[in-house]
């Protein structure tokens, strides 16, 4: 039977944890009684350096509730890192895990459907929001703009999917092969490959506590998403440099003609042409340096070059990451 772990990053969530623990425990009980998951399935709370009573709560749940385990990070490292800490900590202990936010805005009844996809052989199942009614206008429009910008810059992310997803132990081990420091999970998980599935759900309002994503954190996540996946901004500099250089050629001809016709003041021709050509050359040079830097950047990530899903041979483990 499937051993399911639910991984939940928590930052100053003491107001919501009673509700969350109650609802998730009920869910696990239901799935256990339906014989869909094993009785040693767990809820893992990752305390992301909270300043309130979050960790005290997790400790008390751990002693009173057989499902609850906890991990405490030494300081606040942000949602993505907290989630990653949890995922990598449990990667070999469960058959699959589901990551979800502490406020349970994502509908936990979707877990049943995710498990069904897992039973059908999917190693990754994405939860996709099919409406954004519960979001403010600002959040909705910035989120949509963000998905558009990311796909323009070439990151392969799933539209309207946040971090509510199921991953098998196989997929988690493949994720472990990505050693980059600025990790943007939503962009990395689609790179893993494997058989994937999606389930749709409607997202609820946050019932307890306030959002922990202030504008600064949202902005940092957005910038991380772009700069972790794309060297397009550097290519754009090169392109602008080339265009400026082309204009400088045009300006050379134009100013030369003006000079020949006697329409110019002394010195104008050389100044105009130098401004355009030096500017263009500088941008182009920055772009070329950028190309080399982007190679270094891609190398230093040392992402796995491939991930083996299965092999057919004797006496070897199923999974290898190179
Ligand atoms: N979170 C975290 N560290 C942070 C900020 C947020 O672990 O620095 C967690 C938070 O406790 C929650 C999840 O990330 O479980 C998503 O945060 P929130 O629900 O506030 O975001 P929103 O739904 O408003 O986008
Ligand atoms: Mg939330």
């Amino acid at each position: 039977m499937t051993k399911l772990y639910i991984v939940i990053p928590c930052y100053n969530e003491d107001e919501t944890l009673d509700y969350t623990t109650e609802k998730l425990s009920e869910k696990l009980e239901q799935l256990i009684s339906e014989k869909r998951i094993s009785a040693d399935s767990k809820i893992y709370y990752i305390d992301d350096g909270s300043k309130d009573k979050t960790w005290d709560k997790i400790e008390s749940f751990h002693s009173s509730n057989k499902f609850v385990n906890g991990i405490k990070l030494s300081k606040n490292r942000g949602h993505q890192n907290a989630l990653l800490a949890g995922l990598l900590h449990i990667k070999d202990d469960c058959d699959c895990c589901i990551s979800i936010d502490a406020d349970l805005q994502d509908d936990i009844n979707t877990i049943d459907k995710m498990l069904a996809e897992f039973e059908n052989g999917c190693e990754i199942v994405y939860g996709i929001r099919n409406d954004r009614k519960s979001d403010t206008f600002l959040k909705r429009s910035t989120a949509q703009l963000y998905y558009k910008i990311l796909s323009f810059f070439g990151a392969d992310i799933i539209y309207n999917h946040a971090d509510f997803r199921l991953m098998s132990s196989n997929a988690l081990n493949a994720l472990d092969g990505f050693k980059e420091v600025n990790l943007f999970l939503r962009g990395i998980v689609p790179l893993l490959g494997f058989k994937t599935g999606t389930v749709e759900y409607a997202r609820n309002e946050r019932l307890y506590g306030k959002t922990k994503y202030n504008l600064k954190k949202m902005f940092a996540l957005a910038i991380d998403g772009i700069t972790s996946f794309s060297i397009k901004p550097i290519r754009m500099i090169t392109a602008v440099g080339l265009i400026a250089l082309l204009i400088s050629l045009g300006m050379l001809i134009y100013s030369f003609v003006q000079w020949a016709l006697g329409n110019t003041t002394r010195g104008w021709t050389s100044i105009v042409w130098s401004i355009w050509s030096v500017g263009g050359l500088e941008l182009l040079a920055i772009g070329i340096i950028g190309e080399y830097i982007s190679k270094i950047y891609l190398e230093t990530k040392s992402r796995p070059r491939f991930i083996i899903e299965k092999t057919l041979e004797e006496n070897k483990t199923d999974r290898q990451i190179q």
Side-chain angles (χ1 to χ4, degrees):
M1 226 183 301
T2 308
K3 187 168 167 187
L4 168 70
Y5 280 10
I6 298 181
V7 178
I8 307 164
C10 307
Y11 179 56
N12 294 344
E13 296 283 11
D14 63 357
E15 285 167 280
T16 190
L17 279 186
D18 287 304
Y19 167 79
T20 307
T21 311
E22 188 194 322
K23 289 285 169 203
L24 283 176
S25 307
E26 277 172 25
K27 187 84 222 160
L28 289 185
E29 292 287 6
Q30 172 222 318
L31 291 166
I32 291 168
S33 69
E34 289 170 2
K35 302 217 177 335
R36 297 193 57 193
I37 60 172
S38 63
D40 53 357
S41 295
K42 294 271 177 230
I43 300 169
Y44 261 86
Y45 287 124
I46 323 297
D47 178 10
D48 183 17
S50 300
K51 294 176 183 64
D52 63 359
K53 299 249 175 299
T54 299
W55 183 247
D56 300 343
K57 288 233 151 158
I58 296 173
E59 275 182 330
S60 84
F61 290 135
H62 177 65
S63 45
S64 63
N65 182 321
K66 64 177 182 214
F67 293 126
V68 176
N69 279 0
I71 297 171
K72 183 171 167 38
L73 298 192
S74 61
K75 73 188 283 281
N76 180 245
R77 299 293 296 133
H79 177 203
Q80 298 284 297
N81 286 317
L83 181 52
L84 185 71
L87 296 178
L88 295 187
H89 188 80
I90 56 140
K91 69 184 168 39
D92 295 313
D93 305 337
C94 57
D95 297 314
C96 67
C97 77
I98 290 179
S99 49
I100 189 167
D101 290 349
D103 51 16
L104 297 191
Q105 281 186 282
D106 307 299
D107 183 4
I108 60 169
N109 292 317
T110 319
I111 292 177
D112 304 51
K113 292 188 214 150
M114 285 182 162
L115 275 175
E117 292 287 313
F118 175 69
E119 287 153 12
N120 283 338
C122 288
E123 309 256 6
I124 299 169
V125 185
Y126 298 103
I128 312 267
R129 316 174 48 170
N130 57 14
D131 80 316
R132 281 192 165 262
K133 283 195 212 84
S134 62
D135 280 345
T136 60
F137 175 74
L138 183 72
K139 181 130 191 172
R140 192 164 56 228
S141 38
T142 49
Q144 257 145 18
L145 180 69
Y146 178 53
Y147 284 113
K148 294 220 170 82
I149 293 177
L150 264 185
S151 63
F152 170 76
F153 280 116
D156 179 17
I157 59 163
I158 314 278
Y159 193 66
N160 267 344
H161 160 71
D163 282 302
F164 181 34
R165 78 176 79 80
L166 177 147
M167 291 176 80
S168 68
S169 175
N170 258 350
L172 289 176
N173 274 285
L175 179 68
D176 192 25
F178 287 75
K179 302 294 184 196
E180 54 203 85
V181 176
N182 297 303
L183 195 98
F184 181 63
L185 280 168
R186 281 169 229 182
I188 296 280
V189 176
L191 294 182
L192 299 179
F194 295 109
K195 186 174 176 202
T196 58
T198 55
V199 290
E200 292 202 356
Y201 66 97
R203 201 174 201 224
N204 308 316
E205 309 257 355
R206 191 188 246 276
L207 291 179
Y208 301 97
K210 283 204 253 334
T211 174
K212 305 298 178 293
Y213 259 99
N214 52 26
L215 216 55
K216 191 171 146 216
K217 283 198 168 162
M218 239 155 72
F219 198 67
L221 183 76
I223 296 286
D224 253 9
I226 294 172
T227 52
S228 304
F229 280 88
S230 180
I231 53 169
K232 255 198 186 174
I234 291 176
R235 294 262 154 86
M236 281 156 85
I237 296 177
T238 318
V240 173
L242 273 175
I243 292 169
L245 217 54
L246 280 179
I247 294 178
S248 88
L249 278 182
M251 287 308 279
L252 177 67
I253 296 165
Y254 172 73
S255 48
F256 200 73
V257 169
Q258 292 296 320
W259 172 79
L261 294 175
N263 290 340
T264 57
T265 328
R266 254 181 101 78
W268 179 83
T269 318
S270 51
I271 285 180
V272 162
W273 185 66
S274 335
I275 289 174
W276 279 94
S277 59
V278 171
L281 272 177
E282 271 178 0
L283 278 175
L284 191 65
I286 293 173
I288 291 172
I289 294 171
E291 282 293 318
Y292 286 97
I293 293 180
S294 59
K295 291 283 175 313
I296 300 172
Y297 152 91
L298 293 175
E299 288 292 336
T300 50
K301 281 177 180 291
S302 60
R303 289 186 178 172
R305 280 159 295 177
F306 52 84
I307 295 165
I308 295 178
E309 188 174 331
K310 283 192 185 108
T311 61
L312 293 174
E313 52 191 337
E314 292 77 33
N315 305 327
K316 286 222 176 144
T317 52
D318 263 355
R319 177 193 350 98
Q320 289 173 17
I321 300 161
Q322 298 290 324

